[in-house]
Amino acid sequence: MALTEQQQRAYVASQAADARLNVELQTEDMVLNIGPQHPATHGTLRVVARLDGEQVVWADVVCGYMHRGYEKLTEVRTYPQITTLVNRIDWLSSFANEVPFILAAEKLMEIEAPPRAQYIRTILFELARIANITLFIGTMGADLGAITPVFYAFRDRERILNQIEAVTGGRFHPNFDRIGGLKDDLPRGWIDETKNAMVRVREFCDELEELLMGNEIFQARTRGIGVIPSDIGLSYGLSGANIRASGIDWDLRRDQDLPLAWKDLDWKVWTHPDGDSFARFWVRLQETREASKMVDQMLDGLPAGSIQAKVPRIIKVPAGEAWVHTENPLGEMGYYVVSQGGLGPFRCKIRSASFNNVSVLPWLLRGAYVPDIITILASLYFILGDIDR
Amino acid sequence: MPDIPGKGLVKGLGVTLRTMLQPAVTTQYPREKETPATRARGVIALHQENCTVCMLCARSCPDWCIYIEGHREKAPPRRAGGRPRQVNELDRFDIDYALCMYCGICVDVCPFDALFWSPEFEYSEERIADLLHDKDRLSEWMETVPEAPPLEVGAQAAKK
């Protein structure tokens, strides 16, 4: 448990105050199970909360209801087969899951994809980010009781998914990344269509900024709710927009040198000093807009040439170990691949963002009120497949 | 905020009014249909004549849902006076779509162009066992396989 001394003292004091109140009013704690089947958890996550009246005095997260054992499965698959598995970890931004794994395999094989492949990879990566966060923007509204944004989100995400489908053939599970490049090049007319879609994404962001973020009820329910101080966020291993909303300027797209196109682009990492639910929503909304601008830049600067480096027909990865992590829509996602020179990895450790992001919940929910649990769960934005793998 | 009371409500109703005047985006599926993308991975079609029973697709399938059986046959020699050839004849080629993950690895690895993607998607069944398509059913899908779309500017045609 990473608690500062001040927080510990505050906690003990609050417990003592509660206990006094309990003696006076003769109340009893009530255990409330949120989930495993609860619409606000967007899957099968169980949050056990002990309540005193309306206030949470203790909370714990029970995950693993959707464990599919991907780390073990990778040991009995070949490298080209694994991309189709890791698609299903964070199912809303599947392409983004493939990229770090393929980069780790390429690092071991000491090959690098040609520039055009790197650009197309980054474009699809950012499209996956937009598709993922668009849905977050909608469901955050739905969890807070606003029904309209979720329909808008599904409507506008459809355009992004159509673009992904037109190039990869799959709306959710592209399986498009190959070691040393990509499966195929872009179909004709795709660049113009994607630019139109990006205009619509920015319109959607403007619309939601006005409709949802400017709404008084939304602000009242999110401002100051679920505040994560930056040191707590760091000690729990939060990543992605959750840590940037706590004022930490940390983005793996900018902070490391990967063979992808981000280093050639002109863009900004958005941070927010507050660390509350509103800040997390705000940062994600800005990131969506920033991602659409990045896609525009990459479409303009798309280099010509081949999309596949020379690789052997049967891919054997030399013995060694490699760790590659990228900034996925939900946060840091990394693969630690251990190879012994075979057709598949000997061991593959998957670090997915949501698992660490929900680990802060026991700390965060303490002292929160019951309606705010939903706000906090929605604003942390996890995907169950990403937690349980 | 020192605002006029009810301003948010009026703003919200304004959005409703604007959306009301726009055409609906919903496609009423069974009555009207969207055309899927050309590259969409709907169903796998089999070109029987090209298959040489090499088993590459069955071996590279991540969930082993392709079942192939074949036998060797003597074929007449190519030239007069030559030796009779050995050819592999396909007896069984089943894909179990109840297991298939639609990853497309089998289509990629096929060295003889016997497997193709078709964007057709309407083949749901009432019984799960009926999702096992045999080679005749898979060959029927060949009619729906589209031409590969032309590539974007700057693309290099893949070497065969």
Side-chain angles (χ1 to χ4, degrees):
Chain A
M1 280 314 256
L3 282 171
T4 62
E5 199 197 333
Q6 194 193 355
Q7 278 154 353
Q8 260 169 353
R9 254 189 273 124
Y11 176 62
V12 169
S14 75
Q15 290 272 296
D18 287 342
R20 265 201 307 282
L21 198 70
N22 283 357
V23 170
E24 280 170 24
L25 297 175
Q26 294 181 326
T27 59
E28 265 177 40
D29 283 356
M30 187 183 101
V31 175
L32 179 69
N33 272 297
I34 300 170
Q37 296 289 343
H38 190 279
T41 59
H42 302 287
T44 44
L45 179 77
R46 178 166 159 227
V47 180
V48 187
R50 209 163 69 220
L51 306 178
D52 181 18
E54 276 281 290
Q55 217 170 6
V56 179
V57 290
W58 174 89
D60 200 10
V61 182
V62 185
C63 54
Y65 287 92
M66 252 199 66
H67 179 65
R68 294 158 289 170
Y70 281 145
E71 289 186 8
K72 197 70 192 167
L73 280 175
T74 53
E75 293 171 17
V76 289
R77 296 287 191 280
T78 65
Y79 283 92
Q81 288 176 347
I82 288 171
T83 50
T84 187
L85 286 179
V86 299
N87 269 168
R88 286 151 171 85
I89 291 178
D90 166 10
W91 49 64
L92 289 182
S93 54
S94 316
F95 188 79
N97 299 336
E98 299 174 15
V99 173
F101 177 76
I102 290 289
L103 287 178
E106 285 180 358
K107 199 170 166 185
L108 283 173
M109 292 177 77
E110 289 172 354
I111 51 173
E112 200 169 275
R116 188 176 171 89
Q118 292 180 14
Y119 264 71
I120 297 174
R121 267 181 199 175
T122 323
I123 290 169
L124 288 170
F125 198 111
E126 292 302 320
L127 284 183
R129 183 186 312 277
I130 295 170
N132 189 338
I133 303 184
T134 309
L135 202 61
F136 160 75
I137 292 168
T139 51
M140 176 96 180
D143 286 346
L144 296 179
I147 300 186
T148 314
V150 75
F151 292 116
Y152 282 15
F154 271 107
R155 182 194 67 193
D156 287 348
R157 187 182 70 139
E158 197 62 25
R159 296 199 176 85
I160 310 294
L161 291 183
N162 284 343
Q163 291 313 99
I164 294 178
E165 188 187 18
V167 57
T168 65
R171 286 156 55 83
F172 277 88
H173 302 130
N175 190 24
F176 195 63
D177 223 348
R178 298 287 184 268
I179 289 177
L182 293 167
K183 186 184 163 214
D184 217 337
D185 211 304
L186 306 174
R188 187 161 293 166
W190 192 80
I191 291 182
D192 291 333
E193 280 171 36
T194 311
K195 277 190 178 163
N196 288 338
M198 289 304 109
V199 173
R200 289 305 302 249
V201 167
R202 284 191 286 273
E203 279 174 16
F204 167 78
C205 289
D206 294 342
E207 196 173 34
L208 262 286
E209 208 161 38
E210 209 181 333
L211 185 71
L212 194 58
M213 228 157 76
N215 186 306
E216 292 121 66
I217 303 169
F218 181 80
Q219 295 211 0
R221 287 205 58 187
T222 53
R223 284 231 192 240
I225 304 296
V227 180
I228 307 177
S230 55
D231 55 332
I232 291 292
L234 283 178
S235 60
Y236 276 96
L238 258 62
S239 54
N242 289 327
I243 196 76
R244 284 195 286 278
S246 299
I248 306 272
D249 190 8
W250 181 81
D251 195 314
L252 285 172
R253 289 176 280 175
R254 178 201 58 195
D255 298 344
Q256 62 174 349
D257 187 32
L258 280 179
L260 289 171
W262 290 309
K263 53 186 180 293
D264 307 337
L265 307 177
D266 173 32
W267 57 288
K268 180 175 164 19
V269 177
W270 292 88
T271 57
H272 198 289
D274 287 358
D276 56 3
S277 301
F278 182 81
R280 291 193 277 277
F281 182 84
W282 186 88
V283 167
R284 289 212 176 86
L285 190 71
Q286 305 306 325
E287 270 180 16
T288 313
R289 195 177 285 147
E290 201 67 37
S292 76
K293 288 177 191 161
M294 285 155 82
V295 171
D296 272 353
Q297 288 178 37
M298 284 186 278
L299 289 172
D300 287 334
L302 191 66
S306 148
I307 50 154
Q308 180 72 42
K310 248 184 129 58
V311 285
R313 199 174 175 81
I314 292 168
I315 287 168
K316 277 192 178 172
V317 174
E321 298 175 7
W323 160 253
V324 172
H325 55 172
T326 50
E327 184 72 28
N328 274 43
L330 296 169
E332 177 194 2
M333 178 163 206
Y335 292 85
Y336 190 85
V337 180
V338 181
S339 173
Q340 288 194 338
L343 291 169
F346 174 71
R347 175 84 173 88
C348 181
K349 162 82 184 106
I350 305 169
R351 191 258 192 230
S352 60
S354 294
F355 184 72
N356 289 52
N357 285 351
V358 296
S359 73
V360 77
L361 275 176
W363 185 89
L364 196 58
L365 289 180
R366 202 172 287 152
Y369 288 94
V370 173
D372 295 340
I373 297 177
I374 307 302
T375 314
I376 292 168
L377 285 176
S379 75
L380 270 179
Y381 194 39
F382 44 82
I383 285 177
L384 259 294
D386 205 33
I387 297 176
D388 294 339
R389 294 193 288 278
Chain B
M1 272 190 280
D3 263 347
I4 319 146
K7 193 185 152 204
L9 187 73
V10 174
K11 223 160 102 182
L13 284 174
V15 175
T16 314
L17 197 69
R18 238 184 303 143
T19 315
M20 216 163 71
L21 298 175
Q22 282 168 7
V25 290
T26 322
T27 316
Q28 302 292 340
Y29 163 62
R31 274 180 279 125
E32 31 181 313
K33 284 174 190 167
E34 282 186 335
T35 350
T38 324
R39 282 184 186 173
R41 299 200 294 258
V43 68
I44 297 166
L46 169 72
H47 192 251
Q48 273 192 50
E49 289 75 46
N50 282 1
C51 182
T52 61
V53 202
C54 70
M55 301 275 182
L56 263 182
C57 50
R59 272 191 298 167
S60 62
C61 177
D63 42 7
W64 305 288
C65 69
I66 304 178
Y67 309 98
I68 303 177
E69 278 166 26
H71 67 274
R72 290 215 162 162
E73 240 176 38
K74 287 243 161 43
R78 277 215 181 82
R79 279 165 303 185
R83 276 192 303 161
R85 288 177 299 143
Q86 290 251 342
V87 285
N88 289 322
E89 279 298 312
L90 189 64
D91 292 332
R92 175 185 181 211
F93 193 105
D94 295 351
I95 296 182
D96 192 348
Y97 282 108
L99 292 177
C100 179
M101 298 207 291
Y102 297 87
C103 63
I105 291 177
C106 52
V107 180
D108 284 353
V109 296
C110 182
F112 301 106
D113 282 345
L115 292 172
F116 297 92
W117 275 114
S118 155
E120 286 297 312
F121 56 91
E122 290 171 313
Y123 53 94
S124 60
E125 300 282 354
E126 281 178 6
R127 290 189 329 126
I128 203 163
D130 294 337
L131 280 170
L132 187 100
H133 289 197
D134 60 7
K135 65 177 180 179
D136 297 326
R137 182 110 193 256
L138 290 170
S139 305
E140 280 166 27
W141 295 118
M142 268 314 283
E143 289 168 24
T144 59
V145 173
E147 291 267 309
L151 297 180
E152 192 61 89
V153 187
Q156 218 172 59
K159 280 176 228 118
K160 274 280 164 188

